[in-house]
Amino acid sequence: MKDGDGKLHSVGFRRILKGMAILLGLLFVGTTGYVFIEGWSPFDSLYMTVITIATVGYREVADLSQQGKIFTILIILFGVGIIAYLLGMVAQAMVELQVRSIFGRRKLGQKIRSIKNHYIICGYGRLGRIICRELKANNIPIVVIDDNGTAMQGLEEEGIPHIVGDATNEDILSEAHIERANGLVSVVASDADNVFITMSARGLNPELFILARAEEEHAEKKLIRAGANKVVLPYLIGGQKMAHIVVKPVVSDFLEFTVHSRKIGLEMGEVAVSEKSPLNGVTLIDSGIRQKMDVIIVAVKKSQGEMRFNPSSQTKIEAGDILIALGKSEEITKLATILSGEG
Protein backbone atom coordinates (compact mmCIF):
# COMPACT_ATOMS: atom_id res chain seq x y z
CA MET A 1 0.00 0.00 0.00
CA LYS A 2 1.31 3.44 -0.87
CA ASP A 3 1.89 6.10 1.77
CA GLY A 4 -1.01 8.26 0.56
CA ASP A 5 -3.46 5.37 0.72
CA GLY A 6 -2.15 4.37 4.15
CA LYS A 7 -2.58 7.90 5.52
CA LEU A 8 -6.08 8.12 4.03
CA HIS A 9 -7.04 4.82 5.63
CA SER A 10 -5.52 5.91 8.97
CA VAL A 11 -7.42 9.22 8.94
CA GLY A 12 -10.73 7.43 8.27
CA PHE A 13 -10.05 4.96 11.07
CA ARG A 14 -9.22 7.77 13.50
CA ARG A 15 -12.46 9.53 12.62
CA ILE A 16 -14.47 6.37 13.36
CA LEU A 17 -12.65 5.95 16.68
CA LYS A 18 -13.32 9.59 17.51
CA GLY A 19 -17.04 9.13 16.76
CA MET A 20 -17.22 6.01 18.93
CA ALA A 21 -15.45 7.82 21.76
CA ILE A 22 -18.01 10.66 21.55
CA LEU A 23 -20.86 8.10 21.52
CA LEU A 24 -19.47 6.38 24.64
CA GLY A 25 -19.12 9.78 26.26
CA LEU A 26 -22.76 10.56 25.45
CA LEU A 27 -23.85 7.23 26.96
CA PHE A 28 -21.95 8.10 30.13
CA VAL A 29 -23.41 11.61 30.30
CA GLY A 30 -26.94 10.32 29.61
CA THR A 31 -26.71 7.58 32.23
CA THR A 32 -25.30 9.96 34.83
CA GLY A 33 -27.91 12.60 33.98
CA TYR A 34 -30.88 10.28 34.45
CA VAL A 35 -29.43 9.01 37.74
CA PHE A 36 -29.23 12.55 39.16
CA ILE A 37 -32.32 14.07 37.49
CA GLU A 38 -34.79 11.18 37.84
CA GLY A 39 -33.14 9.15 40.61
CA TRP A 40 -33.20 5.93 38.57
CA SER A 41 -30.76 3.05 38.98
CA PRO A 42 -27.62 3.10 36.74
CA PHE A 43 -28.95 0.19 34.67
CA ASP A 44 -32.35 1.81 34.06
CA SER A 45 -30.60 5.08 33.24
CA LEU A 46 -28.30 3.35 30.74
CA TYR A 47 -31.29 1.56 29.18
CA MET A 48 -33.16 4.85 28.81
CA THR A 49 -30.11 6.51 27.25
CA VAL A 50 -29.62 3.71 24.70
CA ILE A 51 -33.27 3.60 23.53
CA THR A 52 -33.30 7.40 23.35
CA ILE A 53 -30.16 7.60 21.19
CA ALA A 54 -31.34 4.71 19.02
CA THR A 55 -34.84 6.27 18.68
CA VAL A 56 -36.37 2.77 18.74
CA GLY A 57 -39.59 4.00 20.38
CA TYR A 58 -39.76 1.64 23.38
CA ARG A 59 -41.64 2.84 26.44
CA GLU A 60 -39.89 5.03 29.00
CA VAL A 61 -38.59 3.49 32.18
CA ALA A 62 -40.86 5.81 34.17
CA ASP A 63 -42.66 9.13 33.72
CA LEU A 64 -40.21 11.94 33.09
CA SER A 65 -40.05 15.19 34.98
CA GLN A 66 -39.87 18.53 33.17
CA GLN A 67 -36.10 18.60 33.56
CA GLY A 68 -35.94 14.96 32.39
CA LYS A 69 -37.86 15.75 29.20
CA ILE A 70 -35.52 18.64 28.37
CA PHE A 71 -32.52 16.40 29.05
CA THR A 72 -34.02 13.67 26.80
CA ILE A 73 -34.50 16.16 23.94
CA LEU A 74 -30.83 17.09 24.16
CA ILE A 75 -29.79 13.41 24.22
CA ILE A 76 -31.88 12.73 21.10
CA LEU A 77 -30.41 15.68 19.18
CA PHE A 78 -26.82 14.83 20.03
CA GLY A 79 -27.36 11.07 19.65
CA VAL A 80 -28.90 11.26 16.17
CA GLY A 81 -26.05 13.50 15.02
CA ILE A 82 -23.38 11.16 16.36
CA ILE A 83 -25.04 8.04 14.88
CA ALA A 84 -25.30 9.78 11.49
CA TYR A 85 -21.62 10.80 11.75
CA LEU A 86 -20.54 7.23 12.56
CA LEU A 87 -22.60 5.69 9.74
CA GLY A 88 -21.18 8.27 7.33
CA MET A 89 -17.61 7.50 8.37
CA VAL A 90 -18.14 3.74 8.00
CA ALA A 91 -19.73 4.21 4.57
CA GLN A 92 -16.91 6.53 3.50
CA ALA A 93 -14.26 4.05 4.66
CA MET A 94 -15.94 1.23 2.70
CA VAL A 95 -16.18 3.33 -0.46
CA GLU A 96 -12.54 4.44 -0.15
CA LEU A 97 -11.47 0.81 0.30
CA GLN A 98 -13.36 -0.26 -2.83
CA VAL A 99 -12.00 2.67 -4.86
CA ARG A 100 -8.42 1.89 -3.75
CA SER A 101 -8.94 -1.75 -4.66
CA ILE A 102 -10.22 -0.86 -8.14
CA PHE A 103 -7.41 1.61 -8.83
CA GLY A 104 -4.88 -0.80 -7.32
CA ARG A 105 -5.95 -3.60 -9.67
CA ARG A 106 -5.84 -1.20 -12.62
CA LYS A 107 -2.30 -0.10 -11.75
CA LEU A 108 -1.19 -3.71 -11.33
CA GLY A 109 -2.71 -4.52 -14.71
CA GLN A 110 -0.73 -1.68 -16.29
CA LYS A 111 2.44 -2.96 -14.60
CA ILE A 112 1.92 -6.45 -16.01
CA ARG A 113 1.29 -5.10 -19.52
CA SER A 114 4.51 -3.07 -19.49
CA ILE A 115 6.78 -5.43 -17.55
CA LYS A 116 9.84 -7.04 -19.15
CA ASN A 117 13.05 -8.79 -18.13
CA HIS A 118 11.12 -10.14 -15.14
CA TYR A 119 10.80 -13.45 -13.33
CA ILE A 120 7.51 -15.32 -13.16
CA ILE A 121 6.91 -17.03 -9.80
CA CYS A 122 4.43 -19.89 -10.12
CA GLY A 123 3.07 -20.71 -6.66
CA TYR A 124 2.75 -18.39 -3.68
CA GLY A 125 3.05 -20.81 -0.80
CA ARG A 126 5.69 -20.69 1.93
CA LEU A 127 8.53 -21.20 -0.54
CA GLY A 128 7.10 -18.77 -3.08
CA ARG A 129 6.78 -16.04 -0.44
CA ILE A 130 10.45 -16.36 0.50
CA ILE A 131 11.53 -16.22 -3.15
CA CYS A 132 9.40 -13.13 -3.79
CA ARG A 133 10.78 -11.40 -0.71
CA GLU A 134 14.40 -12.02 -1.74
CA LEU A 135 13.89 -11.02 -5.38
CA LYS A 136 12.08 -7.86 -4.33
CA ALA A 137 14.93 -7.03 -1.91
CA ASN A 138 17.30 -7.25 -4.89
CA ASN A 139 15.04 -5.04 -7.07
CA ILE A 140 14.29 -7.85 -9.52
CA PRO A 141 10.87 -7.41 -11.22
CA ILE A 142 8.47 -10.29 -10.64
CA VAL A 143 4.99 -11.48 -11.57
CA VAL A 144 3.33 -13.99 -9.26
CA ILE A 145 0.85 -16.62 -10.45
CA ASP A 146 -1.29 -18.61 -8.03
CA ASP A 147 -4.86 -19.93 -8.11
CA ASN A 148 -5.45 -18.93 -4.48
CA GLY A 149 -6.51 -15.28 -4.62
CA THR A 150 -6.89 -15.00 -0.85
CA ALA A 151 -3.24 -15.95 -0.26
CA MET A 152 -2.08 -13.14 -2.58
CA GLN A 153 -4.02 -10.26 -1.02
CA GLY A 154 -0.83 -8.88 0.52
CA LEU A 155 0.77 -8.61 -2.94
CA GLU A 156 -1.77 -6.01 -4.03
CA GLU A 157 -0.91 -3.81 -1.04
CA GLU A 158 2.81 -4.16 -1.83
CA GLY A 159 2.20 -3.27 -5.49
CA ILE A 160 3.60 -6.58 -6.76
CA PRO A 161 2.02 -7.68 -10.08
CA HIS A 162 0.13 -10.94 -9.75
CA ILE A 163 -2.36 -13.07 -11.62
CA VAL A 164 -4.97 -15.28 -9.99
CA GLY A 165 -5.08 -18.39 -12.13
CA ASP A 166 -3.68 -21.83 -12.90
CA ALA A 167 -0.02 -21.63 -13.96
CA THR A 168 -0.37 -24.86 -15.94
CA ASN A 169 -2.60 -22.91 -18.34
CA GLU A 170 -0.58 -21.49 -21.25
CA ASP A 171 -2.96 -18.53 -21.53
CA ILE A 172 -2.12 -17.53 -17.95
CA LEU A 173 1.62 -17.78 -18.68
CA SER A 174 1.11 -15.64 -21.79
CA GLU A 175 -0.81 -13.11 -19.70
CA ALA A 176 2.32 -12.83 -17.52
CA HIS A 177 4.24 -12.00 -20.74
CA ILE A 178 6.48 -15.03 -20.58
CA GLU A 179 7.90 -14.11 -23.98
CA ARG A 180 9.55 -11.02 -22.37
CA ALA A 181 10.61 -12.72 -19.14
CA ASN A 182 14.16 -13.53 -18.06
CA GLY A 183 13.13 -16.57 -16.10
CA LEU A 184 10.43 -18.63 -14.43
CA VAL A 185 10.43 -20.24 -10.99
CA SER A 186 7.93 -23.06 -10.53
CA VAL A 187 7.29 -23.89 -6.86
CA VAL A 188 3.74 -25.25 -6.80
CA ALA A 189 3.09 -28.15 -4.42
CA SER A 190 2.70 -30.89 -7.04
CA ASP A 191 5.66 -32.35 -8.93
CA ALA A 192 3.32 -33.19 -11.81
CA ASP A 193 2.18 -29.57 -12.03
CA ASN A 194 5.78 -28.34 -11.91
CA VAL A 195 6.65 -30.65 -14.81
CA PHE A 196 3.64 -29.45 -16.82
CA ILE A 197 4.43 -25.77 -16.09
CA THR A 198 8.05 -26.33 -17.14
CA MET A 199 7.03 -27.98 -20.42
CA SER A 200 4.53 -25.21 -21.20
CA ALA A 201 7.02 -22.45 -20.34
CA ARG A 202 9.79 -24.01 -22.43
CA GLY A 203 7.42 -24.26 -25.39
CA LEU A 204 6.38 -20.61 -25.08
CA ASN A 205 9.91 -19.28 -24.61
CA PRO A 206 12.79 -21.60 -25.64
CA GLU A 207 15.42 -19.17 -24.25
CA LEU A 208 13.82 -18.84 -20.82
CA PHE A 209 15.75 -19.74 -17.66
CA ILE A 210 13.57 -22.16 -15.68
CA LEU A 211 14.10 -23.09 -12.03
CA ALA A 212 11.78 -25.77 -10.65
CA ARG A 213 11.04 -27.33 -7.31
CA ALA A 214 10.87 -31.10 -6.81
CA GLU A 215 9.42 -32.90 -3.83
CA GLU A 216 10.73 -36.34 -4.76
CA GLU A 217 14.22 -37.11 -6.03
CA HIS A 218 12.92 -39.13 -9.00
CA ALA A 219 11.06 -36.02 -10.23
CA GLU A 220 14.36 -34.17 -10.78
CA LYS A 221 15.17 -36.05 -14.00
CA LYS A 222 11.65 -35.53 -15.32
CA LEU A 223 11.89 -31.78 -14.74
CA ILE A 224 15.28 -31.63 -16.50
CA ARG A 225 13.86 -33.54 -19.46
CA ALA A 226 10.84 -31.21 -19.47
CA GLY A 227 13.16 -28.25 -19.93
CA ALA A 228 14.18 -27.01 -16.47
CA ASN A 229 17.66 -25.47 -16.27
CA LYS A 230 17.94 -26.07 -12.54
CA VAL A 231 15.98 -28.21 -10.08
CA VAL A 232 15.93 -27.68 -6.31
CA LEU A 233 14.80 -30.26 -3.75
CA PRO A 234 13.97 -28.22 -0.62
CA TYR A 235 13.74 -31.19 1.75
CA LEU A 236 17.07 -32.59 0.54
CA ILE A 237 18.78 -29.20 0.93
CA GLY A 238 17.17 -28.67 4.34
CA GLY A 239 18.30 -32.09 5.55
CA GLN A 240 21.85 -31.55 4.30
CA LYS A 241 22.03 -28.14 5.96
CA MET A 242 20.86 -29.54 9.31
CA ALA A 243 23.46 -32.32 9.06
CA HIS A 244 26.21 -29.78 8.28
CA ILE A 245 25.23 -27.75 11.35
CA VAL A 246 25.83 -30.85 13.46
CA VAL A 247 29.01 -32.02 11.70
CA LYS A 248 30.58 -28.63 10.81
CA PRO A 249 28.95 -25.97 12.99
CA VAL A 250 31.60 -23.26 12.47
CA VAL A 251 31.55 -23.64 8.68
CA SER A 252 27.75 -23.51 8.74
CA ASP A 253 27.81 -20.33 10.82
CA PHE A 254 30.28 -18.75 8.40
CA LEU A 255 28.12 -19.57 5.39
CA GLU A 256 25.01 -18.36 7.18
CA PHE A 257 26.62 -15.02 8.00
CA THR A 258 28.15 -14.45 4.56
CA VAL A 259 25.35 -15.74 2.33
CA HIS A 260 22.08 -15.30 4.23
CA SER A 261 22.58 -12.78 7.01
CA ARG A 262 22.48 -9.05 6.24
CA LYS A 263 23.33 -8.01 9.78
CA ILE A 264 27.11 -7.90 9.30
CA GLY A 265 26.95 -6.11 5.96
CA LEU A 266 28.74 -8.85 4.00
CA GLU A 267 27.38 -10.59 0.95
CA MET A 268 28.42 -13.10 -1.67
CA GLY A 269 27.93 -11.67 -5.13
CA GLU A 270 28.67 -12.53 -8.74
CA VAL A 271 29.97 -9.90 -11.15
CA ALA A 272 30.52 -10.26 -14.88
CA VAL A 273 33.57 -8.95 -16.73
CA SER A 274 32.97 -6.80 -19.81
CA GLU A 275 35.35 -6.36 -22.74
CA LYS A 276 35.56 -2.62 -22.06
CA SER A 277 36.48 -3.12 -18.39
CA PRO A 278 39.84 -1.60 -17.41
CA LEU A 279 40.59 -4.88 -15.56
CA ASN A 280 40.10 -7.03 -18.67
CA GLY A 281 43.32 -9.02 -19.14
CA VAL A 282 44.73 -8.02 -15.74
CA THR A 283 45.77 -10.59 -13.12
CA LEU A 284 44.06 -10.66 -9.75
CA ILE A 285 47.19 -9.48 -7.93
CA ASP A 286 47.57 -6.48 -10.27
CA SER A 287 43.87 -5.61 -10.26
CA GLY A 288 43.96 -4.15 -6.74
CA ILE A 289 40.57 -5.70 -5.96
CA ARG A 290 41.71 -7.07 -2.59
CA GLN A 291 43.84 -4.07 -1.64
CA LYS A 292 41.63 -1.18 -2.79
CA MET A 293 38.11 -2.58 -2.26
CA ASP A 294 38.67 -5.18 0.45
CA VAL A 295 36.84 -7.76 -1.65
CA ILE A 296 37.84 -11.42 -1.72
CA ILE A 297 37.50 -13.33 -5.01
CA VAL A 298 36.32 -16.76 -3.92
CA ALA A 299 36.02 -18.31 -7.38
CA VAL A 300 36.15 -17.46 -11.08
CA LYS A 301 33.86 -19.00 -13.67
CA LYS A 302 35.73 -18.73 -16.97
CA SER A 303 33.90 -17.88 -20.16
CA GLN A 304 34.46 -21.49 -21.33
CA GLY A 305 32.47 -22.77 -18.34
CA GLU A 306 35.39 -23.89 -16.14
CA MET A 307 34.98 -23.02 -12.46
CA ARG A 308 38.20 -22.14 -10.61
CA PHE A 309 37.83 -22.16 -6.85
CA ASN A 310 40.28 -20.20 -4.69
CA PRO A 311 42.00 -18.78 -7.80
CA SER A 312 45.70 -17.94 -7.61
CA SER A 313 46.95 -14.36 -7.63
CA GLN A 314 48.18 -14.89 -11.21
CA THR A 315 44.70 -15.76 -12.54
CA LYS A 316 43.79 -13.42 -15.40
CA ILE A 317 40.51 -11.55 -15.39
CA GLU A 318 39.08 -11.92 -18.89
CA ALA A 319 35.97 -10.71 -20.69
CA GLY A 320 33.11 -13.15 -20.23
CA ASP A 321 34.36 -14.33 -16.83
CA ILE A 322 32.13 -14.21 -13.78
CA LEU A 323 33.82 -13.47 -10.47
CA ILE A 324 32.34 -14.83 -7.23
CA ALA A 325 33.16 -12.11 -4.70
CA LEU A 326 32.81 -11.80 -0.94
CA GLY A 327 32.72 -8.36 0.66
CA LYS A 328 30.57 -5.44 1.72
CA SER A 329 27.55 -4.69 -0.44
CA GLU A 330 28.75 -1.25 -1.51
CA GLU A 331 32.20 -2.56 -2.43
CA ILE A 332 30.75 -5.37 -4.56
CA THR A 333 28.54 -2.81 -6.30
CA LYS A 334 31.63 -0.67 -6.95
CA LEU A 335 33.50 -3.71 -8.33
CA ALA A 336 30.57 -4.59 -10.60
CA THR A 337 30.62 -1.04 -12.01
CA ILE A 338 34.35 -1.26 -12.76
CA LEU A 339 34.11 -4.71 -14.34
CA SER A 340 31.22 -3.59 -16.52
CA GLY A 341 33.39 -0.79 -17.90
CA GLU A 342 31.04 1.92 -16.67
CA GLY A 343 33.20 3.07 -13.76
Side-chain angles (χ1 to χ4, degrees), residues 88-117:
M89 286 299 101
V90 171
Q92 183 180 350
M94 293 177 66
V95 170
E96 287 174 355
L97 185 62
Q98 290 176 346
V99 170
R100 284 200 304 273
S101 179
I102 292 170
F103 278 101
R105 286 195 295 268
R106 186 175 297 175
K107 288 179 181 178
L108 289 178
Q110 291 173 349
K111 276 188 177 181
I112 292 175
R113 285 191 293 272
S114 62
I115 199 167
K116 60 182 179 180
N117 300 326

Short mmCIF file of all heavy atoms in Angstrom, two decimals, residues 88-117:
data_model
loop_
_atom_site.label_atom_id
_atom_site.label_comp_id
_atom_site.label_asym_id
_atom_site.label_seq_id
_atom_site.Cartn_x
_atom_site.Cartn_y
_atom_site.Cartn_z
N GLY A 88 -21.83 7.62 8.46
CA GLY A 88 -21.18 8.27 7.33
C GLY A 88 -19.71 7.90 7.23
O GLY A 88 -19.20 7.65 6.12
N MET A 89 -19.03 7.85 8.37
CA MET A 89 -17.61 7.50 8.37
C MET A 89 -17.39 6.05 7.92
O MET A 89 -16.47 5.75 7.16
CB MET A 89 -17.01 7.70 9.77
CG MET A 89 -16.78 9.15 10.15
SD MET A 89 -15.61 10.00 9.05
CE MET A 89 -16.76 10.90 8.01
N VAL A 90 -18.25 5.15 8.40
CA VAL A 90 -18.14 3.74 8.00
C VAL A 90 -18.38 3.60 6.50
O VAL A 90 -17.65 2.89 5.79
CB VAL A 90 -19.13 2.87 8.80
CG1 VAL A 90 -19.17 1.45 8.24
CG2 VAL A 90 -18.74 2.84 10.28
N ALA A 91 -19.43 4.27 6.00
CA ALA A 91 -19.73 4.21 4.57
C ALA A 91 -18.58 4.79 3.74
O ALA A 91 -18.19 4.23 2.71
CB ALA A 91 -21.03 4.96 4.28
N GLN A 92 -18.02 5.91 4.21
CA GLN A 92 -16.91 6.53 3.50
C GLN A 92 -15.69 5.61 3.47
O GLN A 92 -15.02 5.48 2.44
CB GLN A 92 -16.54 7.86 4.17
CG GLN A 92 -15.43 8.61 3.45
CD GLN A 92 -15.06 9.92 4.14
OE1 GLN A 92 -15.76 10.35 5.05
NE2 GLN A 92 -13.99 10.54 3.72
N ALA A 93 -15.41 4.96 4.60
CA ALA A 93 -14.26 4.05 4.66
C ALA A 93 -14.44 2.88 3.70
O ALA A 93 -13.50 2.45 3.02
CB ALA A 93 -14.08 3.53 6.09
N MET A 94 -15.68 2.35 3.61
CA MET A 94 -15.94 1.23 2.70
C MET A 94 -15.79 1.66 1.25
O MET A 94 -15.22 0.94 0.43
CB MET A 94 -17.34 0.68 2.96
CG MET A 94 -17.50 0.00 4.31
SD MET A 94 -19.18 -0.58 4.62
CE MET A 94 -19.34 -1.84 3.36
N VAL A 95 -16.30 2.84 0.92
CA VAL A 95 -16.18 3.33 -0.46
C VAL A 95 -14.72 3.56 -0.82
O VAL A 95 -14.25 3.19 -1.92
CB VAL A 95 -17.00 4.63 -0.64
CG1 VAL A 95 -16.69 5.28 -1.98
CG2 VAL A 95 -18.49 4.34 -0.53
N GLU A 96 -13.96 4.18 0.11
CA GLU A 96 -12.54 4.44 -0.15
C GLU A 96 -11.79 3.13 -0.35
O GLU A 96 -10.91 3.04 -1.22
CB GLU A 96 -11.94 5.21 1.02
CG GLU A 96 -12.37 6.68 1.08
CD GLU A 96 -11.86 7.37 2.33
OE1 GLU A 96 -11.25 6.68 3.18
OE2 GLU A 96 -12.07 8.59 2.47
N LEU A 97 -12.13 2.11 0.43
CA LEU A 97 -11.47 0.81 0.30
C LEU A 97 -11.75 0.20 -1.07
O LEU A 97 -10.85 -0.33 -1.72
CB LEU A 97 -11.97 -0.12 1.41
CG LEU A 97 -11.29 -1.49 1.49
CD1 LEU A 97 -9.80 -1.34 1.79
CD2 LEU A 97 -11.95 -2.36 2.56
N GLN A 98 -13.01 0.28 -1.52
CA GLN A 98 -13.36 -0.26 -2.83
C GLN A 98 -12.68 0.51 -3.95
O GLN A 98 -12.18 -0.07 -4.92
CB GLN A 98 -14.88 -0.24 -3.01
CG GLN A 98 -15.62 -1.22 -2.12
CD GLN A 98 -17.13 -1.11 -2.26
OE1 GLN A 98 -17.63 -0.14 -2.82
NE2 GLN A 98 -17.84 -2.11 -1.76
N VAL A 99 -12.65 1.84 -3.83
CA VAL A 99 -12.00 2.67 -4.86
C VAL A 99 -10.51 2.35 -4.93
O VAL A 99 -9.94 2.20 -6.02
CB VAL A 99 -12.22 4.17 -4.56
CG1 VAL A 99 -11.35 5.03 -5.47
CG2 VAL A 99 -13.69 4.53 -4.75
N ARG A 100 -9.84 2.24 -3.76
CA ARG A 100 -8.42 1.89 -3.75
C ARG A 100 -8.18 0.54 -4.37
O ARG A 100 -7.20 0.33 -5.09
CB ARG A 100 -7.87 1.91 -2.31
CG ARG A 100 -7.64 3.30 -1.75
CD ARG A 100 -6.67 3.25 -0.58
NE ARG A 100 -7.11 2.34 0.45
CZ ARG A 100 -7.92 2.67 1.44
NH1 ARG A 100 -8.39 3.90 1.52
NH2 ARG A 100 -8.27 1.80 2.36
N SER A 101 -9.08 -0.40 -4.10
CA SER A 101 -8.94 -1.75 -4.66
C SER A 101 -9.05 -1.72 -6.18
O SER A 101 -8.27 -2.35 -6.88
CB SER A 101 -10.02 -2.67 -4.06
OG SER A 101 -9.93 -3.96 -4.60
N ILE A 102 -10.03 -0.95 -6.69
CA ILE A 102 -10.22 -0.86 -8.14
C ILE A 102 -9.01 -0.22 -8.81
O ILE A 102 -8.47 -0.73 -9.79
CB ILE A 102 -11.51 -0.07 -8.46
CG1 ILE A 102 -12.74 -0.87 -8.02
CG2 ILE A 102 -11.58 0.25 -9.96
CD1 ILE A 102 -14.03 -0.08 -8.09
N PHE A 103 -8.57 0.93 -8.25
CA PHE A 103 -7.41 1.61 -8.83
C PHE A 103 -6.14 0.79 -8.66
O PHE A 103 -5.27 0.81 -9.53
CB PHE A 103 -7.23 2.99 -8.18
CG PHE A 103 -8.10 4.05 -8.78
CD1 PHE A 103 -9.26 4.45 -8.14
CD2 PHE A 103 -7.78 4.64 -9.98
CE1 PHE A 103 -10.08 5.42 -8.68
CE2 PHE A 103 -8.57 5.61 -10.54
CZ PHE A 103 -9.74 6.01 -9.90
N GLY A 104 -6.05 0.06 -7.54
CA GLY A 104 -4.88 -0.80 -7.32
C GLY A 104 -4.79 -1.90 -8.36
O GLY A 104 -3.72 -2.16 -8.92
N ARG A 105 -5.94 -2.55 -8.65
CA ARG A 105 -5.95 -3.60 -9.67
C ARG A 105 -5.63 -3.04 -11.05
O ARG A 105 -4.95 -3.67 -11.86
CB ARG A 105 -7.31 -4.31 -9.68
CG ARG A 105 -7.52 -5.24 -8.49
CD ARG A 105 -8.68 -6.17 -8.72
NE ARG A 105 -9.94 -5.45 -8.81
CZ ARG A 105 -10.74 -5.21 -7.78
NH1 ARG A 105 -10.38 -5.62 -6.57
NH2 ARG A 105 -11.87 -4.57 -7.93
N ARG A 106 -6.12 -1.82 -11.32
CA ARG A 106 -5.84 -1.20 -12.62
C ARG A 106 -4.35 -0.90 -12.77
O ARG A 106 -3.76 -1.12 -13.83
CB ARG A 106 -6.66 0.09 -12.74
CG ARG A 106 -6.56 0.76 -14.11
CD ARG A 106 -7.50 1.94 -14.19
NE ARG A 106 -8.90 1.54 -14.05
CZ ARG A 106 -9.91 2.39 -13.99
NH1 ARG A 106 -9.67 3.69 -14.03
NH2 ARG A 106 -11.15 1.95 -13.88
N LYS A 107 -3.74 -0.39 -11.69
CA LYS A 107 -2.30 -0.10 -11.75
C LYS A 107 -1.48 -1.37 -11.91
O LYS A 107 -0.50 -1.40 -12.65
CB LYS A 107 -1.88 0.64 -10.47
CG LYS A 107 -2.36 2.08 -10.40
CD LYS A 107 -1.91 2.74 -9.10
CE LYS A 107 -2.41 4.18 -9.01
NZ LYS A 107 -2.02 4.81 -7.73
N LEU A 108 -1.90 -2.44 -11.20
CA LEU A 108 -1.19 -3.71 -11.33
C LEU A 108 -1.32 -4.25 -12.74
O LEU A 108 -0.38 -4.82 -13.29
CB LEU A 108 -1.73 -4.72 -10.32
CG LEU A 108 -1.37 -4.46 -8.84
CD1 LEU A 108 -2.02 -5.50 -7.96
CD2 LEU A 108 0.13 -4.47 -8.64
N GLY A 109 -2.51 -4.08 -13.34
CA GLY A 109 -2.71 -4.52 -14.71
C GLY A 109 -1.79 -3.78 -15.68
O GLY A 109 -1.23 -4.37 -16.60
N GLN A 110 -1.63 -2.47 -15.45
CA GLN A 110 -0.73 -1.68 -16.29
C GLN A 110 0.72 -2.13 -16.11
O GLN A 110 1.49 -2.17 -17.06
CB GLN A 110 -0.87 -0.19 -15.93
CG GLN A 110 -2.21 0.41 -16.35
CD GLN A 110 -2.39 1.83 -15.84
OE1 GLN A 110 -1.62 2.30 -15.00
NE2 GLN A 110 -3.42 2.51 -16.31
N LYS A 111 1.08 -2.47 -14.85
CA LYS A 111 2.44 -2.96 -14.60
C LYS A 111 2.71 -4.25 -15.36
O LYS A 111 3.78 -4.43 -15.95
CB LYS A 111 2.64 -3.19 -13.10
CG LYS A 111 3.01 -1.97 -12.31
CD LYS A 111 3.37 -2.35 -10.89
CE LYS A 111 3.81 -1.14 -10.08
NZ LYS A 111 4.19 -1.51 -8.70
N ILE A 112 1.74 -5.16 -15.33
CA ILE A 112 1.92 -6.45 -16.01
C ILE A 112 2.05 -6.24 -17.51
O ILE A 112 2.87 -6.89 -18.17
CB ILE A 112 0.74 -7.40 -15.68
CG1 ILE A 112 0.77 -7.80 -14.20
CG2 ILE A 112 0.80 -8.65 -16.56
CD1 ILE A 112 -0.41 -8.62 -13.76
N ARG A 113 1.25 -5.33 -18.07
CA ARG A 113 1.29 -5.10 -19.52
C ARG A 113 2.62 -4.50 -19.97
O ARG A 113 3.05 -4.72 -21.10
CB ARG A 113 0.13 -4.19 -19.94
CG ARG A 113 -1.22 -4.89 -19.96
CD ARG A 113 -2.26 -4.03 -20.65
NE ARG A 113 -2.56 -2.82 -19.87
CZ ARG A 113 -3.48 -2.74 -18.93
NH1 ARG A 113 -4.18 -3.83 -18.61
NH2 ARG A 113 -3.70 -1.62 -18.29
N SER A 114 3.27 -3.75 -19.09
CA SER A 114 4.51 -3.07 -19.49
C SER A 114 5.78 -3.77 -18.98
O SER A 114 6.88 -3.35 -19.32
CB SER A 114 4.50 -1.63 -18.99
OG SER A 114 4.43 -1.60 -17.56
N ILE A 115 5.62 -4.81 -18.19
CA ILE A 115 6.78 -5.43 -17.55
C ILE A 115 7.62 -6.21 -18.56
O ILE A 115 7.10 -6.77 -19.53
CB ILE A 115 6.32 -6.35 -16.39
CG1 ILE A 115 7.49 -6.62 -15.44
CG2 ILE A 115 5.74 -7.66 -16.93
CD1 ILE A 115 7.05 -7.25 -14.13
N LYS A 116 8.93 -6.24 -18.33
CA LYS A 116 9.84 -7.04 -19.15
C LYS A 116 11.08 -7.36 -18.33
O LYS A 116 11.34 -6.74 -17.29
CB LYS A 116 10.20 -6.29 -20.43
CG LYS A 116 10.88 -4.95 -20.22
CD LYS A 116 11.16 -4.28 -21.57
CE LYS A 116 11.82 -2.91 -21.36
NZ LYS A 116 12.10 -2.23 -22.64
N ASN A 117 11.84 -8.34 -18.83
CA ASN A 117 13.05 -8.79 -18.13
C ASN A 117 12.72 -9.17 -16.68
O ASN A 117 13.51 -8.89 -15.76
CB ASN A 117 14.14 -7.72 -18.16
CG ASN A 117 14.55 -7.36 -19.58
OD1 ASN A 117 14.55 -8.21 -20.46
ND2 ASN A 117 14.88 -6.10 -19.80
#
